[in-house]
Amino acid sequence: MAPPSPLGLSVGNMFYVFSDEGITVLQPSECEIRRHMKRTERIVATYRENIRLLKDEMCPKGEGVSPQHCVWSSAVNVRDKYIYVTQPLLSRLLVVDIQAQKVVQAISTDPFPVKMLYDKSHDQVWVMTWGDMEKTHPTLQVIPQASVGEVHRAIRTTFQRVTDFFIPPTNLIITHVRFAFVFLKNEPAVHKIDLETFHRVKTISLKNYSCIPVSMAYTHLSGFYFVQCQSKSRLQAPPQLLIDSVTDAVIGPNLNVSGRPFVSPDGRYIVTPDPRSSKLMVQTVSFQGELSLNQELDEPFVISDVAFQPSFVESNQHVVVATSGSGTDFLFADLSSGLVEVLRSLKEPLAPQAWPWGGPNRVVVSSGLFGQYLVTPSAESLFILNGKQRTPHCEVSDIKRGNTVVWVGEV
């Protein structure tokens, strides 16, 4: 059992949802709102240096948006102790103390922080900022010792013109990650970065393939990096590229698969919604590290976001779930059999223009590696789905723009 919070309630095994109104803590099986941190709540600084912030509201007025509401873009779970969440219009991150159920610090960043990744191996949060809505002065900043309860500061790295970055996730097999990858504007290359020193180790050129990298994924089973490409003209998306993680050599195109790759938690499946063919391409990696195309599933809609769940029917198998960026449908696809089910009528998602921060305009987040619940927002409410039964579990109303969601497991 998790130790009780000050409210006498468990704080783990919950979804934390960041919306216009503030922060909602949701217990999925009971569909219960355990806590609501309103936008007017004060930041309760627990550190002496932070006295100045004691008066600050979580989402102060004067963001140029009225009436007063919160604007979030990205959140990360730091060891089930803290959640870091970006407030792009306020040029800062907030730190939520999960045990205390309070916002305990605001960390100033460069203007418009939009995306974060947590590097668990080095306990640091990486933050990409845009500089302005036109992305004219992007930077990468790092917050060291993210899980330590002290005053945190963002350190600026030397990278300019950053369009995105990728840190391979840790899992049950890979517990230490040494390198990250940074993409620069209009540059057909990925830059390999040492996570400890923040120095560039190598530049891997993709020029021979006319590939400007958009996103990456990694599977430890074959040791392949998958690179989503776009061309300079941005008209026709070139196929993904494969990079060997041992030698950093570009192996070549990944068949004719284009689009953003997603890797299952066990590294066995690579799933790509391919915009050119309207197919969901499912590739498998054998335990010998051989990559093969397993399924081409019909994609009933343009996919916004993807998550994985364990199969509740077959052991050691996975189900992929996906949201629509424009409609009310939700997809379940069995990765071993290729069986597809579509759940309809989950209300309209946020309009893409109402979500200008990059990334999906309708996220889907699962309740941990073995959990059966999923959360996905509509424009003005939130759906909890039961993945085991593949049915809507409940709808939580009056959560507007709840498109930033974090799962917190056992605390």
Side-chain angles (χ1 to χ4, degrees):
M1 279 290 287
S5 73
L7 310 169
L9 293 168
S10 162
V11 291
N13 295 320
M14 310 271 175
F15 287 105
Y16 286 66
V17 182
F18 298 83
S19 67
D20 284 11
E21 293 75 31
I23 306 170
T24 305
V25 184
L26 269 181
Q27 202 279 354
S29 63
E30 307 294 323
C31 285
E32 187 187 352
I33 294 178
R34 282 290 174 89
R35 172 140 166 68
H36 180 63
M37 300 176 224
K38 293 192 183 74
R39 57 187 176 228
T40 51
E41 234 175 77
R42 306 266 172 210
I43 296 169
V44 183
T46 49
Y47 321 114
R48 267 201 312 255
E49 291 175 53
N50 252 12
I51 296 295
R52 183 180 66 77
L53 286 171
L54 279 170
K55 297 192 235 8
D56 212 352
E57 287 184 355
M58 192 162 79
C59 303
K61 225 172 163 39
E63 290 182 20
V65 182
S66 69
Q68 176 183 3
H69 70 260
C70 300
V71 178
W72 318 97
S73 61
S74 175
V76 290
N77 176 343
V78 173
R79 298 193 177 168
D80 289 333
K81 283 175 75 175
Y82 298 104
I83 296 170
Y84 282 61
V85 59
T86 53
Q87 292 188 307
L89 300 181
L90 295 172
S91 306
R92 71 182 190 182
L93 319 176
L94 296 185
V95 181
V96 180
D97 183 319
I98 292 166
Q99 196 63 59
Q101 296 277 290
K102 285 182 168 54
V103 177
V104 291
Q105 198 190 345
I107 304 172
S108 297
T109 64
D110 287 337
F112 288 85
V114 290
K115 176 180 172 175
M116 285 187 296
L117 290 177
Y118 176 51
D119 164 23
K120 198 173 181 181
S121 308
H122 303 90
D123 193 25
Q124 53 198 15
V125 171
W126 285 66
V127 189
M128 183 173 75
T129 64
W130 281 351
D132 53 36
M133 284 303 283
E134 281 68 54
K135 313 180 193 180
T136 54
H137 293 93
T139 64
L140 262 185
Q141 294 183 283
V142 181
I143 298 155
Q145 294 185 296
S147 71
V148 180
E150 57 180 49
V151 178
H152 294 98
R153 287 188 178 77
I155 299 166
R156 197 178 280 128
T157 66
T158 55
F159 303 104
Q160 306 291 319
R161 300 186 302 116
V162 176
T163 53
D164 213 337
F165 68 111
F166 170 68
I167 301 174
T170 53
N171 57 31
L172 298 175
I173 311 293
I174 305 294
T175 54
H176 188 82
V177 170
R178 244 190 97 187
F179 302 107
F181 295 86
V182 172
F183 318 146
L184 306 184
K185 193 172 183 181
N186 291 332
E187 200 172 286
V190 293
H191 299 272
K192 187 175 182 179
I193 309 304
D194 186 316
L195 283 165
E196 214 156 288
T197 62
F198 313 154
H199 290 156
R200 188 180 330 211
V201 180
K202 189 181 278 187
T203 296
I204 303 168
S205 173
L206 311 177
K207 201 172 180 179
N208 291 349
Y209 300 92
S210 307
C211 167
I212 294 165
V214 183
S215 73
M216 278 175 83
Y218 175 69
T219 171
H220 61 277
L221 283 182
S222 61
F224 288 153
Y225 292 110
F226 295 76
V227 183
Q228 177 189 2
C229 298
Q230 69 183 20
S231 59
K232 272 219 159 97
S233 68
R234 303 199 174 190
L235 290 171
Q236 181 76 307
Q240 292 171 1
L241 292 178
L242 297 174
I243 296 175
D244 184 319
S245 63
V246 178
T247 62
D248 293 329
V250 181
I251 297 163
N254 177 21
L255 303 174
N256 200 24
V257 177
S258 70
R260 183 179 172 192
F262 296 86
V263 174
S264 64
D266 59 359
R268 279 183 58 198
Y269 291 98
I270 298 88
V271 174
T272 304
D274 190 333
R276 292 189 306 188
S277 63
S278 297
K279 297 273 190 200
L280 193 62
M281 310 300 255
V282 180
Q283 292 174 278
T284 49
V285 184
S286 71
F287 290 111
Q288 289 74 41
E290 283 161 13
L291 184 66
S292 57
L293 184 63
N294 196 32
Q295 316 263 3
E296 291 185 40
L297 308 177
D298 282 325
E299 212 179 278
F301 49 76
V302 176
I303 286 173
S304 175
D305 195 19
V306 163
F308 294 90
Q309 278 202 305
S311 165
F312 297 102
V313 184
E314 281 180 90
S315 59
N316 301 324
Q317 291 297 340
H318 280 87
V319 172
V320 68
V321 296
T323 60
S324 164
S326 58
T328 64
D329 291 353
F330 190 92
L331 175 137
F332 290 91
D334 211 299
L335 291 180
S336 58
S337 69
L339 210 65
V340 173
E341 277 181 57
V342 177
L343 197 58
R344 305 200 185 276
S345 68
L346 291 186
K347 293 196 176 168
E348 295 293 333
L350 271 177
Q353 57 272 23
W355 189 257
W357 312 118
N361 62 315
R362 184 170 207 164
V363 296
V364 56
V365 178
S366 78
S367 57
L369 207 49
F370 307 107
Q372 72 184 56
Y373 294 103
L374 299 153
V375 151
T376 188
S378 70
E380 306 216 341
S381 68
L382 195 83
F383 285 90
I384 298 177
L385 309 175
N386 185 330
K388 196 172 184 175
Q389 294 166 355
R390 303 190 179 185
T391 54
H393 186 51
C394 61
E395 182 184 4
V396 184
S397 55
D398 298 329
I399 293 186
K400 291 187 178 70
R401 232 186 305 245
N403 203 41
T404 305
V405 181
V406 168
W407 170 255
V408 171
E410 293 292 343
V411 174

